């Protein structure tokens, strides 16, 4: 038992010692790798400028692999002195990379000033890439200092230097973004009055500045994140990021940032208002004056068109008259609105294009309404009826009180107002009762088979002749029409003015009843004769007996 415990104890010591040996061996290997990277960095600085970017990319990837191994040993029991030395070597290496990047940025900037065209554009983006790479190095320094704090390494001097450099970098990016935005605004202003052949180049320049601003904003965002790690003030930089990108994020909830944005907007609005208020007031007054003139002209145009179409020899319908009046007045008003908007500086071409697109969308959404409109146009053209006509449309009888291109309003005989969609009217039979000034009244009267036909015919003729509203021409028609089962039917068809139709119908019907009664002529009820044969009943009774 004691031997077993002793064996386990010695095994533990061996493993623990071996582990420490492995860690020590790993740190020595990493330190050697770090020394190799330092040598390669020196070689890059002495290499040809065309090869430096490639060599630095290789060096950077090697350093990333090295940092992964260092990070894996931070939380382990490594030899503190060796590991502290390795961490300090890594910080110094990253500082040298940053120094190298600064020198490269200066070199690229000098070349950019002399370059032109596509070469200049490539150099500008190379500079932006260099600025972005420096941001990666700063981020790695922050992580390395954090490693040092975990193992108890005193890096206050390095941390203070890092804070100062982050502040300088943020200030540089801040001013760079403002400068690029100014250049971009100048390009957009030039686009407003540039010749067509120069616009392509200006558009390309605007796109270039937009991309450069986006890259610098990304670098500023990463820099401010590092600054916030050390609780440095980033309010001003966050305000710029928000004003450029417009992204709604948690920064807007920060009181200082929100207050700064409001102050910036208020100041900008104040300057804008001070510079533009007089011209805006003049433009608004001109806008209102043009609208007032357009409205007055539209009224004059409506009256002139109304007078013209109402006295025209073409005898336009009320709907056609209203259509011309409406189109004329609205056209004048529409032109006036376009002229007024142009005085405010609004581009009319995009506006009219937007109206066209909106028209297509609205057309799909309002298919039924457009169907009614099309039917209204057909009614407008073919004029099957007009206002004040008595019609029978969509199984409704009444007087037309109002018409539009979408619907027709009918007032029924019992004084109801019905609004009927025009597609219901045009897609069905249209009966215009009052289209003609003269109308025939169709009536049928029956007498008994035993009554005198000639006498009845003479009575009908006398009644029609005596009625003052029955027209002499065309002559009334009185004919024996049909021999029914219960009566002998006459058709009585006098002609009357359309407005007198129902008066004649009711008067003649009443008079016929009275005269036929006074003349002893019967108006028979429906009847049927039933004949019973007695001998069939007697035979049936004999058989039963």
């Amino acid at each position: 038992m004691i031997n077993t415990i002793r064996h386990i104890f010695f095994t533990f010591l061996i493993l623990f010692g071996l582990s420490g040996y492995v860690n020590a061996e790993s740190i020595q290997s990493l330190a050697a790798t770090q020394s190799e990277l330092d040598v390669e960095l020196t070689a890059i600085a002495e290499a040809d400028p065309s090869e430096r970017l490639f060599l630095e990319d290789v060096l950077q990837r090697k350093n990333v692999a090295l940092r992964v191994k260092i990070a894996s040993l931070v939380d382990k029991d490594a030899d503190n002195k060796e590991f502290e030395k390795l961490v300090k070597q890594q910080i110094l290496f990253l500082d040298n990379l940053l120094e190298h990047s600064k020198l490269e940025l200066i070199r690229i900037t000098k070349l950019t000033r002399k370059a032109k065209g596509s070469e200049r554009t490539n150099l500008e983006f190379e500079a932006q890439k260099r600025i972005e790479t420096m941001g990666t190095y700063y981020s790695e320094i922050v992580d390395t200092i954090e490693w040092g704090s975990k193992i108890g390494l005193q890096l206050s001097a390095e941390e203070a230097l890092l804070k100062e450099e982050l502040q300088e970098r943020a200030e540089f990016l801040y001013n760079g973004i403002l400068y690029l935005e100014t250049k971009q605004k100048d390009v957009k202003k030039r686009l407003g009055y540039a010749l067509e052949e120069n616009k392509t180049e200006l558009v390309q320049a605007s796109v270039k500045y937009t991309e450069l601003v986006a890259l610098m904003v990304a670098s500023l965002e990463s820099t401010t994140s590092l600054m916030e790690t050390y609780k440095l003030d980033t309010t001003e930089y966050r305000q710029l990021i928000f004003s450029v990108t417009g992204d709604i994020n948690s920064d807007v909830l920060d009181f200082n940032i929100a207050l700064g944005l409001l102050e910036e907007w208020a100041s900008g609005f104040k300057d804008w208002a001070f510079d533009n208020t007089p011209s805006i007031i003049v433009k608004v007054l001109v806008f209102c004056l043009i609208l007032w003139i357009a409205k007055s002209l539209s009224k004059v145009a409506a009256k002139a068109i109304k007078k013209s179409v109402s006295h025209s020899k073409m005898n336009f319908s009320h709907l056609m008259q209203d259509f011309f009046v409406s189109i004329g007045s609205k056209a004048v008003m529409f032109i006036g609105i376009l002229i007024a908007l142009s005085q405010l500086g609004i581009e009319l071409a995009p506006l009219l294009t937007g109206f066209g697109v909106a028209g297509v969308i609205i057309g799909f959404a309002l298919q039924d309404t457009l169907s009614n409109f099309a039917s209204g146009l057909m009614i407008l053209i073919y004029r099957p009826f007009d206002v004040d006509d008595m019609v029978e449309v969509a199984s409704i009888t009444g007087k037309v009180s109002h018409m539009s291109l979408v619907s027709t309003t009918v007032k029924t005989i019992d004084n109801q107002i019905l609004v009927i969609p025009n597609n219901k009217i045009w897609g069905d039979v249209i009966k215009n009762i009052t289209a003609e000034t003269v109308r025939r009244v169709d009536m049928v009267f029956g007498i008994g088979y035993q009554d005198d036909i000639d006498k009845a015919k003479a009575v009908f003729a006398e009644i029609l002749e005596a009625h003052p509203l029955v027209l002499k021409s065309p002559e009334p028609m009185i004919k024996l029409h049909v021999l029914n089962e219960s009566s002998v039917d006459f058709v009585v068809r006098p002609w009357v003015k359309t407005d007198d139709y129902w008066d004649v119908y009711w008067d003649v019907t009443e008079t016929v009843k009275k005269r036929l009664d006074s003349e002893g002529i019967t108006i028979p009820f429906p009847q049927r004769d039933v004949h019973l044969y007695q001998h069939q009943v007697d035979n049936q009774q004999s058989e039963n007996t």
Side-chain angles (χ1 to χ4, degrees):
M1 181 67 178
I2 295 173
N3 292 332
T4 303
I5 295 174
R6 185 179 299 171
H7 176 73
I8 295 173
F9 176 73
F10 281 111
T11 303
F12 175 76
L13 289 177
I14 292 171
L15 290 174
F16 180 80
L18 183 61
S19 175
Y21 174 77
V22 171
N23 283 341
E25 189 70 26
S26 299
I27 293 172
Q28 291 177 3
S29 174
L30 295 179
T33 303
Q34 182 66 70
S35 299
E36 291 176 2
L37 295 181
D38 291 338
V39 174
E40 290 183 16
L41 178 58
T42 303
I44 289 174
E46 298 173 355
D48 187 85
S50 60
E51 300 176 356
R52 290 176 187 172
L53 191 62
F54 169 74
L55 294 175
E56 185 179 351
D57 181 70
V58 174
L59 180 64
Q60 188 177 1
R61 283 188 279 108
K62 288 182 179 179
N63 188 55
V64 169
L66 173 62
R67 290 179 59 81
V68 170
K69 295 177 181 179
I70 295 175
S72 66
L73 296 175
V74 170
D75 297 325
K76 294 182 179 180
D77 293 331
D79 185 271
N80 288 336
K81 292 182 179 180
E82 293 295 328
F83 196 70
E84 287 175 4
K85 183 179 178 181
L86 179 61
V87 170
K88 287 183 177 181
Q89 282 182 320
Q90 178 64 201
I91 293 176
L92 181 60
F93 174 75
L94 292 172
D95 286 337
N96 291 333
L97 275 175
L98 278 172
E99 190 63 29
H100 168 74
S101 295
K102 290 176 183 178
L103 294 175
E104 282 294 296
L105 184 60
I106 294 173
R107 182 184 67 81
I108 294 170
T109 304
K110 289 180 179 179
L111 293 175
T112 304
R113 295 193 187 102
K114 300 177 182 179
K116 293 182 180 180
S118 60
E119 182 184 358
R120 181 185 180 90
T121 301
N122 293 333
L123 287 171
E124 287 174 343
F125 278 104
E126 186 178 343
Q128 292 299 322
K129 183 65 177 177
R130 174 61 59 182
I131 293 172
E132 184 179 355
T133 302
M134 291 172 66
T136 303
Y137 295 154
Y138 279 115
S139 179
E140 289 176 348
I141 291 176
V142 171
D143 292 339
T144 308
I145 291 176
E146 185 179 352
W147 295 345
S149 64
K150 287 184 178 181
I151 63 175
L153 191 62
Q154 295 297 325
L155 298 172
S156 55
E158 288 81 356
E159 187 174 320
L161 179 62
L162 176 62
K163 291 179 181 178
E164 184 179 346
E165 290 192 2
L166 288 175
Q167 192 75 44
E168 291 177 357
R169 175 178 168 82
E171 192 67 24
F172 168 76
L173 293 172
Y174 178 85
N175 292 318
I177 292 171
L178 292 178
Y179 172 76
L180 290 174
E181 277 198 313
T182 302
K183 299 288 287 184
Q184 187 179 27
K185 290 177 181 177
D186 292 340
V187 170
K188 289 183 177 179
K189 286 181 181 179
R190 290 176 60 191
L191 275 171
Y193 52 82
L195 298 175
E196 288 295 329
E197 55 268 23
N198 297 331
K199 284 187 176 181
T200 302
E201 183 180 353
L202 291 174
V203 169
Q204 292 175 351
S206 178
V207 172
K208 180 188 73 173
Y209 286 127
T210 301
E211 293 175 350
L212 292 175
V213 168
L215 289 172
M216 295 199 75
V217 166
S219 297
L220 182 58
E221 283 182 328
S222 63
T223 303
T224 52
S225 297
L226 296 176
M227 292 174 66
E228 288 170 353
T229 303
Y230 297 107
K231 298 182 180 180
L232 298 176
D233 184 22
T234 61
T235 302
E236 187 177 10
Y237 310 126
R238 289 292 183 183
Q239 289 175 7
L240 178 62
I241 293 171
F242 177 77
S243 62
V244 172
T245 62
D247 293 336
I248 304 297
N249 51 38
S250 59
D251 293 336
V252 183
L253 302 178
D254 187 280
F255 177 77
N256 293 327
I257 295 178
L259 182 61
L261 288 171
L262 289 175
E263 290 177 351
E264 182 181 348
W265 293 339
S267 177
F269 177 77
K270 181 180 177 181
D271 295 338
W272 177 85
F274 182 79
D275 295 335
N276 297 283
T277 296
S279 61
I280 290 175
I281 292 175
V282 173
K283 288 181 179 180
V284 170
L285 290 176
V286 173
F287 177 80
C288 296
L289 178 62
I290 292 175
L291 287 183
W292 180 80
I293 294 173
K295 188 174 182 180
S296 301
L297 290 177
S298 68
K299 291 180 180 179
V300 173
K303 291 180 180 178
I305 296 172
K306 180 69 175 178
K307 185 177 181 180
S308 176
V309 296
S310 60
H311 292 82
S312 175
K313 295 181 180 179
M314 298 183 67
N315 190 24
F316 291 118
S317 65
H318 285 83
L319 180 58
M320 183 73 80
Q321 295 177 22
D322 294 340
F323 176 75
F324 283 130
V325 171
S326 177
I327 289 295
S329 62
K330 289 179 179 177
V332 173
M333 194 65 196
F334 181 71
I335 294 172
I337 291 174
L338 291 181
I339 296 174
L341 290 175
S342 67
Q343 298 303 308
L344 293 178
I346 298 175
E347 292 290 338
L348 297 183
L351 185 64
L352 294 175
T353 303
F355 282 152
V357 175
V360 174
I361 297 173
I362 293 172
F364 280 110
L366 302 176
Q367 295 184 30
D368 292 338
T369 302
L370 291 178
S371 175
N372 291 327
F373 184 82
S375 299
L377 287 177
M378 299 304 292
I379 294 173
L380 174 70
I381 295 170
Y382 289 100
R383 297 177 58 187
F385 56 84
D386 203 351
V387 175
D388 294 332
D389 284 351
M390 182 66 69
V391 296
E392 183 178 333
V393 292
S395 302
I396 296 169
T397 302
K399 188 176 183 180
V400 179
S401 62
H402 179 72
M403 297 171 62
S404 70
L405 290 175
V406 178
S407 63
T408 298
T409 303
V410 175
K411 186 176 183 179
T412 62
I413 298 173
D414 57 347
N415 211 31
Q416 297 184 59
I417 299 295
L418 303 178
V419 180
I420 309 171
N422 282 338
N423 64 344
K424 299 290 185 182
I425 296 175
W426 188 252
D428 201 352
V429 176
I430 300 174
K431 182 177 180 181
N432 192 331
I433 299 172
T434 57
E436 298 293 337
T437 57
V438 177
R439 188 177 175 191
R440 190 182 70 184
V441 183
D442 291 350
M443 295 177 286
V444 178
F445 300 110
I447 64 173
Y449 272 91
Q450 71 278 8
D451 295 318
D452 188 346
I453 295 175
D454 294 330
K455 183 178 180 180
K457 192 173 182 180
V459 170
F460 297 146
E462 291 175 6
I463 293 172
L464 297 182
E465 188 176 355
H467 200 290
L469 298 180
V470 174
L471 299 177
K472 305 301 180 183
S473 179
E475 293 183 356
M477 182 177 66
I478 303 172
K479 297 293 183 179
L480 179 61
H481 181 56
V482 66
L483 300 177
N484 271 331
E485 294 180 356
S486 304
S487 63
V488 178
D489 293 341
F490 285 86
V491 290
V492 179
R493 297 176 175 174
W495 290 86
V496 298
K497 292 181 179 180
T498 301
D499 294 338
D500 299 333
Y501 180 89
W502 289 108
D503 291 334
V504 172
Y505 184 91
W506 293 324
D507 290 347
V508 170
T509 301
E510 182 180 352
T511 305
V512 165
K513 176 64 171 70
K514 292 178 180 179
R515 284 291 304 276
L516 291 181
D517 289 345
S518 63
E519 297 292 339
I521 300 174
T522 60
I523 300 176
F525 296 101
Q527 58 185 359
R528 183 181 298 276
D529 291 338
V530 179
H531 301 276
L532 298 176
Y533 298 94
Q534 186 66 33
H535 69 279
Q536 291 181 354
V537 178
D538 294 339
N539 292 337
Q540 186 67 33
Q541 290 177 350
S542 298
E543 291 176 359
N544 292 335
T545 303

